[in-house]
Amino acid sequence: MALSKTAQTVQASASNTAGSTTTSSAFDINYGVSGVATIANGGTGPTVACDFVIELSSDGGTTWYEWSRQTAGTANSTTYRFPFALGIGTGGDFAKYRVKFTGNTAQTVTVQCDAQTTAAL
């Protein structure tokens, strides 16, 4: 039995300026999703590092709850990767997820998140 998987560009590559937040659209968890988020510092790293946040929703995307937060470093010209996996029943009855990048100060960082969901068994 083959699984039906679908690629997701959760957050296309974007500049998250100092003091800003970049938030993706909402995506269905379906039968599970796995992916990797990337935060890349420029030639001068931020004073305070950027956070990668996963939020979950059980009401179709109206109310969001923080599920996970991971923090990149501040080293110059360094890329940080954050793998994640959400399965059926993640955190209870949550059916949707989105990601946010936030918290970096003084310098812009480049952020991106790609995933693959299992849409059918």
Side-chain angles (χ1 to χ4, degrees):
M1 175 192 304
L3 300 175
S4 175
K5 296 184 177 186
T6 304
Q8 296 175 328
T9 301
V10 181
Q11 175 60 58
S13 181
S15 294
N16 192 63
T17 58
S20 296
T21 298
T22 300
T23 304
S24 75
S25 298
F27 290 86
D28 292 331
I29 294 174
N30 293 318
Y31 293 99
V33 62
S34 61
V36 176
T38 304
I39 299 173
N41 295 342
T44 301
T47 304
V48 175
C50 185
D51 289 342
F52 165 61
V53 180
I54 299 173
E55 295 182 324
L56 303 177
S57 176
S58 61
D59 61 7
T62 301
T63 306
W64 292 95
Y65 301 94
E66 185 172 312
W67 184 74
S68 172
R69 180 179 292 255
Q70 300 174 69
T71 304
T74 58
N76 299 344
S77 303
T78 302
T79 300
Y80 300 88
R81 291 178 179 80
F82 303 97
F84 66 93
L86 305 171
I88 296 173
T90 296
D93 295 325
F94 295 103
K96 292 196 177 286
Y97 79 100
R98 70 180 183 187
V99 302
K100 290 176 26 176
F101 297 89
T102 190
N104 52 296
T105 62
Q107 298 295 325
T108 297
V109 298
T110 302
V111 299
Q112 181 174 338
C113 185
D114 296 296
Q116 190 171 50
T117 185
T118 303
L121 302 177

